[in-house]
Amino acid sequence: MNEPVPRILLERYSANERTIHWIVAVLFVIAALSGLALFHPSLFALSALFGGGTWTRILHPFAGVVMTVAFALLAAAVAKDNVMRAADWQWLRRIRQVLSGREGELPEVGRYNAGQKLLFFVMVISLAGLLVTGIVIWRRYFSDAFPIGAVRLASLAHAFFAFVLILGIIVHVYAAIWVRGSIRAMTRGHVTAGWAFKHHRAWFREKIGHAASPGTRSD
Amino acid sequence: MALESQDIVRRSATTTKPPQVRRARTAPVAKLIDTSKCIGCKACQVACMEWNDLRDEIGTCSGVYDNPLDLTEHSWTVMRFAEHENERGDLEWLIRKDGCMHCAEPGCLAACPSPGAIVQYANGIVDFDSEHCIGCGYCITGCPFNIPRLSGVDGKAYKCTLCSDRVAAGREPACVKACPTGALVFGTKEDMLRHAEERVEDLKSRGFENAGIYDPEGVGGTHVMYVLHHRDRPELYNDLPADPKISTLVKVWKGVAKPLGVAGMLLAAFAGFLHYIRVGPNETTDDDEREAARAVGASAVRARRETTDE
């Protein structure tokens, strides 16, 4: 078994997609840390990262709005690959096999697996919710235009959507760490053919169907 | 309020107890506003401006006596005038001095995310420490009486302090000092309740059988109380809430949601860590690469064949 291991690379994210992803990611970290500082007193110390409580309060909503706009661009780019299909529900029913890494027992996966697709919808819904409720509780510019009951409901809902989004991102980041070779898709733009073959077989096929030609890099 | 001369019993966004060893022996204080004695002269508003160095913008007459029309960051108290026609067809001029009620269970303090920006003293006064205020406006969201106002200039929230600085020095609030009719009185809450009961009795003997004290239980009682001729209909007095309490939404948001939310996030992150420890990374093997390469090769051959066939 000493035959050399071939290293064929497949493009997964373009430079533009990577850029927008990392803009969203950086803004998420800013919005999440500043939001958590205002959420629980035990985390108020995080406000020191932003120059104090007042700056935290000022920056948080702007970071949130820009993040949401950037996310909308990213979501538009990947939406077509995130439509749930029959095989996806089958995949979800076998979540035990997924979590123990027994991918041979799962239906073939396209560009995104069912978990990624669900996460996509969780992010779309929670970010839309955060945007709407965030505007209602943005006291400086908008809150006076809303009845107090709406502001109270929006305050609670904003915390709820943020909680859901943060849990989603924890899953997202962990999955990227757990499934080795995933992170390079977002840093370098490509994955190895073996990675695609193992984790996203249907996408792999589609990719090599019209790419196993001069376009494919191998180094 | 850096040099605090009063004992703080509650502090916003603080999960540990404030210093408790020095127990205040002074009884809680209260301001009693007797609406039946108020003549609407606004001396209290002027005294408030003077003592607190507040000057609101001069507005224009809008056809009612309320001036200014609403509380602002510069007007911590405002007389609200209501014309009420009673059952006998007589006009009653119901005048209510509006301002912070100094709740025993303050919604503003519960909602505030900035440690120490809102404090409650042992004497019952609820005070904003502007130095620590971050300007989020959550106090407005939490207040059942719609009292705090955010300044457009410095972005901080303001409201009546019950002249905490004067009270600390053993004086009554400026508004009480200025009141010419005795509609405003100040003292221990116990004394004020006793005085209020006498007033209610007097009003009842004059035909106001529904007269009563407004010291709403929903917020644990208040340190600013009203004597109302119509205690049964507080809404007559420019929508004084009948049963004020901290909104359930605010209670959930600032209660169970906080520990549950943080615990949920920590658990999720730790669950990920445990999964990694137990299952290990999901790696792509050399065999996967070889198989993939074979598939790529086959596909390339097929592609070439298809091109030649054309």
Side-chain angles (χ1 to χ4, degrees), chain B residues 187-198:
Chain B
T188 65
K189 178 151 181 179
E190 199 187 343
D191 284 350
M192 290 307 101
L193 279 171
R194 200 176 304 137
H195 177 65
E197 276 158 21
E198 285 168 18

Side-chain angles (χ1 to χ4, degrees), chain B residues 219-232:
Chain B
V219 289
T222 52
H223 292 273
V224 169
M225 302 183 291
Y226 290 114
V227 168
L228 304 175
H229 340 56
H230 306 288
R231 177 64 183 91
D232 56 325

Side-chain angles (χ1 to χ4, degrees), chain B residues 26-64:
Chain B
T26 47
V29 298
K31 174 166 75 180
L32 183 69
I33 303 173
D34 185 347
T35 56
S36 71
K37 277 186 175 178
C38 178
I39 57 171
C41 69
K42 297 176 187 158
C44 53
Q45 285 184 213
V46 175
C48 181
M49 288 167 57
E50 277 202 329
W51 181 259
N52 293 301
D53 284 330
L54 300 167
R55 297 293 183 274
D56 211 335
E57 266 173 54
I58 296 170
T60 50
C61 178
S62 48
V64 291

Side-chain angles (χ1 to χ4, degrees), chain B residues 252-271:
Chain B
V252 173
W253 172 40
K254 289 293 171 176
V256 290
K258 289 199 291 186
L260 285 184
V262 172
M265 290 178 238
L266 289 176
L267 281 177
F270 193 64

Side-chain angles (χ1 to χ4, degrees), chain A residues 22 50 66 74 134 156 162 169 171 199 202 204 212 214 218:
Chain A
W22 288 109
F50 305 96
V66 179
L74 182 60
L156 180 58
I169 296 298
V171 172
H199 305 300
F204 170 78
S218 112

Side-chain angles (χ1 to χ4, degrees), chain A residues 57 99 174 180 192 194 198, chain B residues 134 141 275-276 280 283 289:
Chain A
R57 180 267 299 174
L99 287 175
Y174 177 66
R180 284 297 159 80
T192 68
K198 181 172 187 188
Chain B
I134 64 169
T141 308
H275 179 262
Y276 194 87
E283 283 166 321
E289 297 294 355

